Amino acid sequence: MNNLIKIEERNGEQLVSGRELHKFLEIATPYKKWFDRMCEYGFSENKDFVTVGQKCPIANGGFQDINEHLLKISMAKELSMLQRNEKGKEAREYFIKCEEAWNS
């Protein structure tokens, strides 16, 4: 299966990087604003996604803390549907195939 978006396994669950999904879907809105807006659809931390802090290098040689979100496949699939564009449809179909392969 073509790996459109990297899926990792943790504790027996398939998870997707929110930032990678955002990038794949070609969302123009900055990630943090987009993710916060998407959470208004009723997604819950530790149920639909987990937040992971990480250090990101910045131009002056230092680091800044950013939040990364690892999404369950069901959330990633739903977010893809909400985008209502070709990339969203492609991602949704990809996640459906990944779920089917995982469950078989």
Side-chain angles (χ1 to χ4, degrees), residues 25-59:
L25 295 172
E26 299 174 349
I27 307 296
T29 306
Y31 175 75
K32 181 172 177 6
K33 287 184 180 182
W34 172 78
F35 189 80
D36 289 346
R37 192 175 73 236
M38 293 299 101
C39 285
E40 292 173 6
Y41 283 94
F43 297 111
S44 301
E45 188 169 12
N46 298 322
K47 179 180 172 234
D48 301 303
F49 66 93
V50 293
T51 302
V52 180
Q54 66 185 86
K55 300 234 182 251
C56 181
I58 54 176

Side-chain angles (χ1 to χ4, degrees), residues 4-91:
L4 293 180
I5 302 165
K6 182 182 173 196
I7 296 175
E8 63 182 82
E9 180 189 339
R10 284 196 188 178
N11 300 323
E13 290 189 294
Q14 291 181 300
L15 301 171
V16 175
S17 161
R19 289 184 185 277
E20 284 190 31
L21 179 61
H22 176 264
K23 182 178 177 181
F24 178 82
L25 295 172
E26 299 174 349
I27 307 296
T29 306
Y31 175 75
K32 181 172 177 6
K33 287 184 180 182
W34 172 78
F35 189 80
D36 289 346
R37 192 175 73 236
M38 293 299 101
C39 285
E40 292 173 6
Y41 283 94
F43 297 111
S44 301
E45 188 169 12
N46 298 322
K47 179 180 172 234
D48 301 303
F49 66 93
V50 293
T51 302
V52 180
Q54 66 185 86
K55 300 234 182 251
C56 181
I58 54 176
N60 69 6
F63 292 90
Q64 86 180 36
D65 292 320
I66 61 169
N67 283 331
E68 168 66 285
H69 302 95
L70 297 176
L71 319 177
K72 291 186 179 181
I73 291 287
S74 57
M75 180 177 177
K77 185 171 55 176
E78 194 167 342
L79 290 179
S80 299
M81 289 180 358
L82 289 170
Q83 300 314 306
R84 296 176 16 192
N85 61 25
E86 280 304 310
K87 291 296 243 180
K89 181 178 180 183
E90 184 180 3

